[in-house]
Amino acid sequence: MEARVSSSLGLPSPKPHEISISTTLSDFPSLLTHLPPFASTTSVKWPRPSPKSQSLKTLPLLDRALIGAAAGGLAGAFTYVCLLPLDTIKTKMQTKGAAQIYKNTLDAVVKTFQSSGLLGFYSGVSAVIVGSTASSAVYFGTCEFGKSFLGKLENFPAVLIPPTAGAMGNVASSAIMVPKELITQRMQAGAKGRSWQVLVEILQNDGVMGLYAGYSATLLRNLPAGVLSYSSFEYLKAAVLQKTEKNYLEPVQSVLCGALAGAISASLTTPLDVVKTRLMTQVRGEGVGKVSAVMYDGISATVKQILKEEGWVGLTRGMGPRVLHSACFSALGYFAFETARLGILQEYLRRKELSERQTQVSVSTA
């Protein structure tokens, strides 16, 4: 796919070293135990591709999607937990009435620490771990499937493969991501109790559909953000691979490409994120406090009320923390994903080769 993207952008194609693979992941889950830091080794070494494992192109669609899903789940859980404190501050800054409570981002950090200590920055962490693992697995698995499937369609424009695959991944993962974000942001906004208690309260007050408050706003934010971030990373990746004439990104390259892609995406989609946060942090009745007790009727009404009460600046609330969070998230996320995917692929190939040798031995001794 990188070769087709490079060609469509007017760049020389990277030089792949393809392999022929036609096997299934018979014991796929056990591959994860061989990845750093999950492997029981005395020293952790980041995986380096061998000449025969530098390309995923020849993998069957299902295998490629499963490898992407496993790597995405690991990367998602790692990244979301690392950056939860930044997301907590961003949510506090975007909640209605935040302008009267916090003077700036630093003031929000100080007051959060004073009121709840370090644990205050990790409100809803259990929901984050479960939800981010599942949603990231679905997202990256769908993206890898989309890239592989669309890449086989000769008439499909190569330059549209990354944005289309990114859109597919966002639509599929939002069904899991929205309830996770809803619970997390309710707790960040001041809801009392553990994640499961907040979940029960939402179900009691609003039913199952209450878990999808702000779903349309989330899609409205995630589709543009996902397309911008994923496409930017894939285009930057194709350019770097063309320049280095390799078929994989070095860790620092993954970090830089991811950070730039995340910053671009976040800066352009902050207004959509503000609207989504307002819809998600609203509650019925007394709610979690007076700050977020006002009800919004929908996206249009939310935008009008923000503009009426706060002006255009209201749609940029939390942009600083959001851009920083997104840049760090994308840098860590893409680095973790590329590393985990490469490690899983290498273990997959090692086991395939071992299985083939055992088969040959069995045949020769028969």
Side-chain angles (χ1 to χ4, degrees):
M1 195 280 292
E2 288 82 2
R4 289 189 61 193
V5 171
S6 297
S7 177
S8 66
L9 295 176
L11 299 172
S13 299
K15 300 176 180 179
H17 301 277
E18 295 190 358
I19 56 176
S20 178
I21 301 175
S22 58
T23 187
T24 57
L25 301 177
S26 57
D27 55 347
F28 180 76
S30 63
L31 297 179
L32 304 182
T33 61
H34 293 265
L35 288 176
F38 304 99
S40 56
T41 58
T42 55
S43 61
V44 175
K45 296 182 180 180
W46 297 113
R48 294 281 183 171
S50 60
K52 66 176 183 179
S53 64
Q54 292 181 352
S55 176
L56 286 167
K57 293 180 181 179
T58 54
L59 281 175
L61 283 176
L62 180 59
D63 289 7
R64 181 169 179 174
L66 288 174
I67 290 177
L74 293 173
F78 169 75
T79 307
Y80 273 100
V81 171
C82 286
L83 298 177
L84 184 58
L86 279 176
D87 188 60
T88 297
I89 297 303
K90 182 214 69 167
T91 299
K92 289 181 179 292
M93 293 291 294
Q94 291 181 345
T95 302
K96 181 177 175 59
Q100 286 73 47
I101 301 177
Y102 308 113
K103 298 178 181 179
N104 48 47
T105 301
L106 180 60
D107 187 47
V109 173
V110 172
K111 288 183 177 178
T112 299
F113 181 78
Q114 290 176 340
S115 62
S116 306
L118 288 176
L119 293 180
F121 296 98
Y122 288 92
S123 298
V125 66
S126 59
V128 168
I129 293 175
V130 175
S132 62
T133 300
S135 63
S136 296
V138 171
Y139 173 74
F140 280 106
T142 304
C143 287
E144 287 298 307
F145 179 87
K147 283 170 57 179
S148 182
F149 177 77
L150 296 173
K152 297 180 183 297
L153 302 179
E154 295 183 359
N155 294 329
F156 193 88
V159 72
L160 296 181
I161 292 178
T164 305
M168 292 169 61
N170 273 283
V171 171
S173 63
S174 288
I176 300 174
M177 184 180 298
V178 170
K180 182 268 294 183
E181 286 197 5
L182 179 69
I183 295 171
T184 301
Q185 292 192 342
R186 288 284 178 88
M187 296 186 71
Q188 290 172 340
K192 303 300 181 182
R194 297 182 178 275
S195 299
W196 67 269
Q197 293 173 318
V198 176
L199 170 63
V200 171
E201 183 178 355
I202 293 172
L203 292 174
Q204 289 177 341
N205 294 336
D206 304 308
V208 176
M209 295 307 298
L211 292 173
Y212 290 90
Y215 181 76
S216 57
T218 300
L219 280 181
L220 184 63
R221 178 204 66 175
N222 283 358
L223 281 177
V227 168
L228 283 170
S229 178
Y230 191 77
S231 301
S232 297
F233 180 80
E234 288 294 323
Y235 294 147
L236 289 169
K237 178 180 177 180
V240 171
L241 295 182
Q242 175 271 326
K243 184 70 174 179
T244 60
E245 296 187 349
K246 294 181 179 180
N247 293 281
Y248 63 93
L249 293 177
E250 296 289 346
V252 67
Q253 295 169 342
S254 296
V255 170
L256 292 177
C257 289
L260 182 57
I264 293 172
S265 173
S267 61
L268 296 178
T269 58
T270 292
L272 301 178
D273 190 55
V274 172
V275 174
K276 186 271 306 180
T277 299
R278 295 293 176 87
L279 287 170
M280 279 190 166
T281 54
Q282 66 179 343
V283 291
R284 297 186 181 278
E286 294 299 323
V288 298
K290 297 180 180 180
V291 170
S292 56
V294 175
M295 297 296 295
Y296 298 101
D297 294 328
I299 295 176
S300 178
T302 303
V303 173
K304 290 179 181 179
Q305 186 166 349
I306 292 173
L307 292 177
K308 178 181 178 180
E309 297 179 356
E310 305 174 47
W312 288 100
V313 71
L315 292 174
T316 64
R317 294 289 182 190
M319 177 176 284
R322 174 168 162 75
V323 170
L324 178 61
H325 174 273
S326 184
C328 294
F329 176 84
S330 295
L332 284 175
Y334 283 116
F335 161 71
F337 173 71
E338 292 286 328
T339 302
R341 182 176 63 172
L342 184 57
I344 294 173
L345 176 61
Q346 288 186 324
E347 182 61 21
Y348 168 80
L349 294 173
R350 188 189 68 82
R351 295 194 176 200
K352 174 181 177 293
E353 183 179 0
L354 180 61
S355 177
E356 290 177 348
R357 288 179 180 177
Q358 291 175 344
T359 301
Q360 292 175 357
V361 172
S362 299
V363 172
S364 62
T365 57

